[in-house]
Amino acid sequence: MSVEPSRQGAVARALAYCEDGGFEQELGHRVAFRTESQKGAAAQGELQRYLDEAMRPAFEAMGFVCTTYANPFADAGPVLLATRHEGDGLPTVLGYGHGDVILGQDEQWTKGDGPWRIAREGERIYGRGTADNKAQHTINMAALKSIIDERGRLGFNAKFLIEMGEENGSRGLLEIIEANRDAFAADVLIGSDGPRAAPDRPTLTLGSRGGVTFQLLCELREGAHHSGNWGGLIADPALILAHALASITTATGAIQIKEWLPPPRSDAVKQVLEGLAIDAGPEAPSIDLDWGEPGMTPAEKVYSWNSFAVLAMTSGNPQAPVNAIAPSARAVCQLRYVAGTDVTNVLPALRAHLDEHGFGMVDIDQSAGRFGGFAAAATAPDHPWALWARRVMEQSSNTAPAVIPSMGGSICNELFTDVLAMPALWIPHSYAGCSQHAPDEHILLPLCRSALRTMTSLYWDLGTGDVPR
């Protein structure tokens, strides 16, 4: 007696892949590729090899047709697009993952045999790229395969983009997409990157904050002068810059430049953030509750508001100070902003603010190639696709998912929402304490099992036809 294909059957296949060791074996194979895109031209062979030897065979085994696009920038990574077309009248879903990683930091690892061989310790798997992003797209690919194996088809058209330069700012991806719009077109993006709000709570992220990075400079003279002979007689650029920086926020980090604030938040954004707690795990730093915009919860501050930070600052030589007043001081600063903020007015408003407060001698530098920026973009929490995903995720996990309007980190979200004009849904499979971008990066196996259940259920329901069109 034959057994009817079912969502439960597909989920069981996905979980068996994890429990039987298939997931760990496949992830180990993929982590072994040293795909350090920040090495530029020197990394291109390994980045291409990841697509050719790890991605293309896996997608082709599922009936996808693969196309590789060379990057228009010689030192930026290639892009693979895998396509499985099942019918002209079916919805088309675009997936996303990136196979590149940051630098390995080999000598700083304390787990296993370094970053390029996975190491199991309890319910943790260590290795560079495990959390960001090789495990995440491995989970989604396994969920797709479980559907095909169970039902014999997906029930929708699937496209899956794997880029090899996300850790280098996704340079060249815009040009590739603009030159091949029809190839990348879809009804919705469902991708996975970044952390959950809490390790044990499925999370739906609907956007990403943008960033404007710039340098403030106070250069008063050519050389340093003896602090005993000239202290109190000549202006100290470090003190001037410190006061200029202090004028930008309150003493507890609330932004004081009104043009830097986002527009009023929608009721839908307020609703999804109500009661949402941030749980980054036991090794994460403690949240300073009185820092940032007053009257807001931590979740509201990081997921729906703007923040200012000083990334680095120097005056003189801190490693070998001398008794002299330095000739200059500089600080690298960054504004993180949510979609809707007038980013074109960020630096003009800062210039006006500094002049108004008597800091005309402080210059703003945003030289091309030195300080990068990235755009903010978001899908509304009450968008039909967002409501659909929330419903399916709640059914599959028996708990309401956390909904994040804009993730704290950055990703190329605007390429999908703004350039390809589709809603973008991000379902992350990591957690904030995963040591992403640090030595001993890892994933949690219980979270991976939960993610396999969620993604398999989501893809199963996509194939039923009961989706927004």
Side-chain angles (χ1 to χ4, degrees):
M1 181 177 176
S2 62
V3 178
E4 286 294 317
S6 67
R7 179 204 277 190
Q8 292 78 8
V11 169
R13 290 175 184 271
L15 293 177
Y17 161 75
C18 186
E19 300 303 332
D20 295 347
F23 171 66
E24 194 168 340
Q25 181 180 357
E26 199 155 44
L27 180 60
H29 172 66
R30 292 171 183 176
V31 166
F33 290 86
R34 304 188 180 204
T35 52
E36 302 163 288
S37 61
Q38 293 171 338
K39 288 185 175 179
Q44 294 309 302
E46 193 74 346
L47 299 180
Q48 185 65 56
R49 199 166 72 87
Y50 185 80
L51 295 182
D52 292 343
E53 298 180 20
M55 293 291 98
R56 182 180 287 269
F59 279 115
E60 289 178 344
M62 291 190 286
F64 284 75
V65 175
C66 296
T67 303
T68 301
Y69 297 92
N71 201 296
F73 300 99
D75 60 345
V79 171
L80 180 139
L81 180 66
T83 302
R84 178 183 167 108
H85 186 81
E86 294 192 358
D88 292 341
L90 298 176
T92 300
V93 179
L94 177 64
Y96 171 90
H98 65 88
D100 66 311
V101 300
I102 70 153
L103 298 176
Q105 303 169 317
D106 300 42
E107 68 285 350
Q108 299 178 49
W109 280 66
T110 66
K111 303 295 183 180
D113 295 325
W116 310 113
R117 293 185 64 182
I118 63 171
R120 174 88 175 263
E121 187 175 289
E123 292 282 56
R124 293 185 175 191
I125 297 179
Y126 291 88
R128 173 60 80 223
T130 49
D132 189 21
N133 173 265
K134 292 177 179 178
Q136 301 217 34
H137 60 259
T138 295
I139 286 169
N140 291 2
M141 293 166 67
L144 288 169
K145 185 178 186 300
S146 297
I147 301 295
I148 295 171
D149 290 346
E150 176 73 10
R151 188 158 54 193
R153 68 187 191 285
L154 290 173
F156 58 92
N157 299 320
K159 299 179 180 181
F160 211 114
L161 184 163
I162 300 289
E163 70 158 315
M164 299 303 294
E166 192 274 342
E167 302 294 2
N168 233 358
S170 296
R171 202 156 61 98
L173 183 57
L174 169 63
E175 289 79 3
I176 291 172
I177 287 176
E178 285 187 325
N180 303 276
R181 285 177 179 268
D182 289 345
F184 290 92
D187 294 298
V188 63
L189 172 94
I190 300 179
S192 295
D193 201 7
R196 287 180 169 186
D200 59 352
R201 189 175 183 187
T203 299
L204 174 64
T205 302
L206 297 172
S208 58
R209 291 201 295 181
V212 178
T213 306
F214 54 90
Q215 185 172 215
L216 292 182
L217 300 166
C218 185
E219 299 179 310
L220 300 186
R221 55 190 71 90
E222 285 297 323
H225 294 273
H226 193 284
S227 58
N229 295 333
W230 292 97
L233 299 181
I234 59 175
D236 188 327
L239 288 174
I240 292 173
L241 183 58
H243 282 279
L245 289 167
S247 76
I248 294 174
T249 75
T250 66
T252 53
I255 293 172
Q256 296 293 283
I257 303 175
K258 65 179 186 301
E259 293 87 355
W260 281 17
L261 300 179
R265 296 171 299 156
S266 70
D267 290 341
V269 167
K270 293 178 182 178
Q271 182 182 17
V272 298
L273 289 177
E274 187 174 349
L276 178 62
I278 297 176
D279 179 5
E283 298 174 11
S286 299
I287 294 173
D288 295 314
L289 296 177
D290 61 348
W291 187 262
E293 188 67 17
M296 285 189 175
T297 66
E300 289 174 321
K301 293 174 186 177
V302 75
Y303 298 143
S304 71
W305 204 249
N306 296 351
S307 62
F308 173 71
V310 178
L311 306 183
M313 62 186 301
T314 59
S315 184
N317 185 352
Q319 286 73 38
V322 296
N323 293 321
I325 297 172
S328 64
R330 62 188 62 210
V332 178
C333 309
Q334 186 179 77
L335 177 71
R336 291 273 183 161
Y337 65 93
V338 298
T341 303
D342 183 6
V343 67
T344 63
N345 197 32
V346 168
L347 296 186
L350 175 60
R351 179 73 272 161
H353 171 87
L354 292 174
D355 291 344
E356 180 183 345
H357 286 75
F359 299 113
M361 72 292 290
V362 176
D363 295 322
I364 304 170
D365 176 24
Q366 198 189 28
S367 303
R370 295 182 66 197
F371 306 108
F374 36 92
T379 299
D382 53 0
H383 188 284
W385 273 104
L387 295 174
W388 173 86
R390 290 167 64 181
R391 175 176 57 81
V392 175
M393 292 173 71
E394 183 168 1
Q395 290 174 349
S396 66
S397 62
N398 294 318
T399 183
V403 180
I404 296 175
S406 290
M407 69 175 75
S410 60
I411 200 168
C412 52
N413 193 50
E414 79 282 359
L415 299 185
F416 309 110
T417 59
D418 299 355
V419 178
L420 290 172
M422 67 178 72
L425 313 178
W426 297 90
I427 303 173
H429 307 327
S430 184
Y431 78 114
C434 67
S435 297
Q436 172 191 7
H437 290 193
D440 298 336
E441 176 183 349
H442 62 276
I443 55 169
L444 302 177
L445 278 172
L447 196 158
C448 293
R449 297 184 192 103
S450 168
L452 282 165
R453 182 181 294 106
T454 294
M455 295 309 298
T456 304
S457 299
L458 199 79
Y459 288 140
W460 182 272
D461 281 23
L462 276 166
T464 66
D466 185 20
V467 296
R469 298 304 298 271

